[in-house]
Amino acid sequence: MFFSAKKNLVIVLTIVCSTGIFGLDLTDLSYNLADKFYSLTGNYEGTTGFRSLLIPSGGRAESLGSAYTGLADDISYIDFNPAASSILENTEISLFHNSWIADSAMETIAATTRIKNLGLGGKISCFYVPFSEYDSFGTKSSSNYYTETTAVFNVSHNFHPGYIFKGLAVGSNIKFSWRGMPDYSDKTTGKTISGSGLEQSALAFMADIGIITQFNFFKFYNSRESNCRAGVSFSNLGAAITGFGGSIKFDDPLTTSAGIGFSYKPLRPLTFSFEFRQPFDISALDEYQIFYAGTGFCADITSYFSILCGFQLKGANPRFSLGSEFEIFKMRFNLNYSLDLTSSLNPVNRISVSAKIKLGDKGRKEIRLKVDELYSYGLSLYAERKYDEAIIAWQEALKLDKYFDPAREAIEIASQYSSMLKLIQDLTDYNNEQE
């Protein structure tokens, strides 16, 4: 009872503290920050299409300053590093809501699962902005929504995983995006022109490519989990076409970029992440935009409650994020607050909310526990010099997990000792016969 009350208190305080700052008037601060970072403004900013691809869905990744290419430890990987689905622990389904400028928002649903070393995932997101048209007298003549909808299909595989080296995960996303432009009115008659919006709508075909690996470095706790990850990804490689119903042509360049990221967990409850990303135009590599970079920090206060913060510098627009994650009935919620100069100036503060359902790990944890049990049993037999029996126990462990290197190494050592003992016994028997 005490534990439940304590858990509920932490959650309530999280919500109150997080929502209490949403109404801050930070206009002066925004202008001061903009002045400080003005020199980082690029010459080709705003020249790309499908800008909604740059809007974070929200959740854990945004709370960490979008420094996620080298971490990617939950379903948010799909926006940052497509290779990570093959190393995720749990099957997950998530819903995201991210409020953006004025009445615009991003809504996302995503799912991922892992079958041994094969990862699969998918996502559908929709960014929408209210669209109102007014005639020459200032009277509203029509209203609708401008939308950008993206569908993502993910597949990845983790090659050569082991106990020490966790393998090299490689993955890809195939993406389709549709920009929906509403029809507009004729200025003379005031009537809506059928199909006028379709000519300005666009269809984009893209791919993401990612690599991620795991390893240990200055690790100060015991765990099978590696404490470092490094990743590389290329996002939004492709092109878009527009002019439907008229002359088909290529649309503006997409928001293509290359990123590199790194994460480090020195202690079990602490995680640091870093990322550097460089946008570029496939058709004109010399017309590149200014790089952007981010960093994030996560502290796991308890198993069901975490505090996250992040910073991203994107051109002349810094973004500060503060978020919390808490778990209720196997559902993990993220509430994030952003002081964001990349989206708007007044107000600069906005929120995103996500809910993630963990649907289990397909028995992987249970198998690991059984493997550890067999390995420990083999060690006890080895200590008693029952080498053949120890080898049998370790072979059983390898049947459950063929990548469990300690069992394979132990079998080699025990086999050598067993062979040596047999050789000594044969020599002893031979000498006894000669006598």
Side-chain angles (χ1 to χ4, degrees):
M1 182 68 71
F2 173 76
F3 176 79
S4 177
K6 182 178 178 181
K7 181 175 181 178
N8 292 334
L9 177 61
V10 170
I11 293 170
V12 170
L13 289 175
T14 301
I15 297 174
V16 171
C17 293
S18 300
T19 57
I21 56 178
F22 294 156
L24 292 179
D25 183 5
L26 299 172
T27 305
D28 292 338
L29 177 60
S30 68
Y31 284 121
N32 291 333
L33 289 173
D35 289 339
K36 295 293 185 183
F37 295 105
Y38 179 75
S39 60
L40 295 177
T41 303
N43 295 326
Y44 299 99
E45 295 296 332
T47 59
T48 54
F50 285 89
R51 303 288 292 179
S52 65
L53 296 171
L54 297 176
I55 299 175
S57 296
R60 179 176 175 84
E62 187 177 12
S63 296
L64 291 170
S66 295
Y68 215 60
T69 297
L71 179 58
D73 59 357
D74 81 338
I75 199 169
S76 297
Y77 79 87
I78 204 166
D79 289 329
F80 296 88
N81 195 329
S85 58
S86 60
I87 59 175
L88 284 186
E89 191 64 26
N90 292 292
T91 296
E92 298 179 7
I93 297 176
S94 290
L95 298 173
F96 300 87
H97 168 77
N98 197 349
S99 61
W100 203 243
I101 306 173
D103 296 326
S104 65
M106 173 79 81
E107 311 291 353
T108 303
I109 182 171
T112 186
T113 191
R114 174 183 154 199
I115 305 171
K116 294 184 177 180
N117 293 311
L118 175 68
L120 300 170
K123 183 191 83 164
I124 296 178
S125 63
C126 181
F127 174 73
Y128 56 91
V129 182
F131 175 86
S132 297
E133 185 179 4
Y134 297 85
D135 60 22
S136 56
F137 297 100
T139 304
K140 182 185 292 187
S141 57
S142 65
S143 61
N144 210 314
Y145 282 91
Y146 168 92
T147 61
E148 289 186 8
T149 304
T150 301
V152 182
F153 304 92
N154 167 258
V155 62
S156 68
H157 192 275
N158 191 23
F159 295 92
H160 306 296
Y163 183 79
I164 298 175
F165 176 66
K166 300 298 183 180
L168 183 68
V170 179
S172 178
N173 291 334
I174 302 299
K175 305 164 74 171
F176 305 90
S177 288
W178 172 256
R179 182 178 70 213
M181 182 71 72
D183 290 341
Y184 53 86
S185 302
D186 183 274
K187 292 184 178 180
T188 303
T189 64
K191 294 183 179 180
T192 300
I193 304 174
S194 179
S196 56
L198 183 61
E199 292 185 5
Q200 298 183 26
S201 298
L203 179 63
F205 303 90
M206 297 161 285
D208 302 335
I209 301 172
I211 300 173
I212 193 168
T213 188
Q214 307 173 80
F215 54 94
N216 288 319
F217 179 76
F218 281 99
K219 186 176 181 181
F220 302 105
Y221 63 98
N222 293 321
S223 172
R224 274 203 187 190
E225 174 191 6
S226 296
N227 74 323
C228 291
R229 291 186 179 188
V232 176
S233 68
F234 295 86
S235 301
N236 305 324
L237 299 165
I241 54 176
T242 187
F244 298 101
S247 177
I248 301 295
K249 60 183 180 180
F250 282 107
D251 195 45
D252 293 330
L254 297 175
T255 56
T256 309
S257 65
I260 183 169
F262 174 76
S263 65
Y264 175 53
K265 181 181 285 190
L267 300 172
R268 194 185 300 272
L270 304 179
T271 303
F272 299 87
S273 63
F274 311 89
E275 177 157 341
F276 176 89
R277 187 163 289 273
Q278 176 63 61
F280 63 93
D281 183 350
I282 297 177
S283 60
L285 294 177
D286 58 327
E287 297 182 0
Y288 61 88
Q289 300 172 30
I290 297 297
F291 73 88
Y292 53 98
T295 183
F297 169 73
C298 175
D300 297 325
I301 307 303
T302 69
S303 61
Y304 57 83
F305 175 66
S306 302
I307 294 291
L308 308 92
C309 61
F311 171 76
Q312 184 186 61
L313 180 60
K314 193 170 187 178
N317 302 317
R319 175 190 297 162
F320 302 89
S321 299
L322 176 64
S324 61
E325 287 187 327
F326 50 93
E327 191 166 321
I328 304 175
F329 303 119
K330 296 185 178 180
M331 292 186 64
R332 196 160 187 88
F333 297 89
N334 175 279
L335 184 62
N336 180 74
Y337 163 80
S338 291
L339 167 61
D340 188 1
L341 293 182
T342 66
S343 59
S344 61
L345 289 178
N346 190 20
V348 295
N349 47 325
R350 59 180 179 78
I351 63 170
S352 65
V353 181
S354 71
K356 178 172 60 182
I357 305 174
K358 294 183 178 180
L359 299 178
D361 63 355
K362 296 185 181 294
R364 284 185 285 270
K365 182 177 180 180
E366 184 178 345
I367 290 175
R368 282 199 300 267
L369 292 174
K370 183 63 177 176
V371 168
D372 290 342
E373 181 182 339
L374 287 168
Y375 180 68
S376 297
Y377 179 59
L379 289 177
S380 64
L381 293 171
Y382 180 84
E384 297 173 6
R385 298 188 179 183
K386 298 177 180 179
Y387 301 122
D388 292 338
E389 294 179 42
I391 290 172
I392 293 174
W394 292 328
Q395 288 174 338
E396 290 297 317
L398 287 175
K399 288 180 181 179
L400 295 174
D401 182 1
K402 64 179 180 180
Y403 304 109
F404 190 67
D405 298 327
R408 184 176 292 104
E409 294 170 358
I411 288 173
E412 293 178 3
I413 295 173
S415 297
Q416 293 174 0
Y417 273 103
S418 180
S419 298
M420 188 186 309
L421 288 177
K422 289 179 181 179
L423 179 60
I424 293 172
Q425 185 63 44
D426 291 341
L427 289 174
T428 301
D429 293 342
Y430 175 77
N431 291 331
N432 290 336
E433 291 176 1
Q434 293 299 316
E435 293 176 357

